[in-house]
Amino acid sequence: MKKHIFILIFLFNYSQTNDNFCIVQNQKDKYIGLKRFKTAQEFKKECNGVMIFKYKKDACRIFTMKDMKFNVYIKDKHTTSYFKIGEDKKVCGKEIKEYIK
């Protein structure tokens, strides 16, 4: 029983803003990203439909929707675009937001 509780806490290690948006800052949680949610409704319930990825460096990186279960919008320091299941996108900035409407 203790093992299962630890795993749940470990998998859902993110902080939240006053608006209940989820913020991820460590590398493992960034990798898991939205894959932790099975549906868009679950994402909306847990994170108010917004996940913010925070980075120390203002750089470009590749985000992937390879294993995702729902489409989202993605916003970096330059653009906002629709991010579909199976796509890869180059995004830039210290803060990247993925969200649903």
Side-chain angles (χ1 to χ4, degrees):
M1 178 73 172
K2 288 181 183 179
K3 214 181 244 188
H4 297 289
I5 292 170
F6 174 74
I7 291 170
L8 286 175
I9 291 169
F10 186 69
L11 287 176
F12 293 97
N13 185 21
Y14 53 81
S15 59
Q16 291 187 309
T17 67
N18 291 338
D19 296 322
N20 290 327
F21 301 158
C22 294
I23 300 174
V24 291
Q25 297 185 53
N26 69 52
Q27 194 60 35
K28 184 170 184 146
D29 288 331
K30 287 175 188 168
Y31 175 76
I32 295 170
L34 293 176
K35 290 188 278 187
R36 70 185 83 225
F37 304 107
K38 293 179 182 169
T39 64
Q41 292 78 17
E42 183 181 346
F43 175 48
K44 187 148 187 111
K45 180 181 173 189
E46 292 291 323
C47 299
N48 205 15
V50 178
M51 182 168 283
I52 302 168
F53 297 83
K54 296 217 175 213
Y55 295 90
K56 292 179 183 176
K57 292 184 180 180
D58 186 1
C60 295
R61 50 198 58 85
I62 302 295
F63 269 47
T64 184
M65 290 285 282
K66 180 183 170 189
D67 298 322
M68 289 302 301
K69 298 166 185 84
F70 53 93
N71 299 325
V72 296
Y73 289 88
I74 189 163
K75 179 179 178 163
D76 68 1
K77 72 178 186 177
H78 301 294
T79 61
T80 299
S81 60
Y82 196 57
F83 200 12
K84 296 179 186 175
I85 295 170
E87 287 184 329
D88 292 335
K89 285 201 185 271
K90 182 179 179 180
V91 293
C92 301
K94 289 179 82 171
E95 182 176 292
I96 310 299
K97 289 183 183 178
E98 290 184 334
Y99 62 93
I100 56 175
K101 290 186 177 183

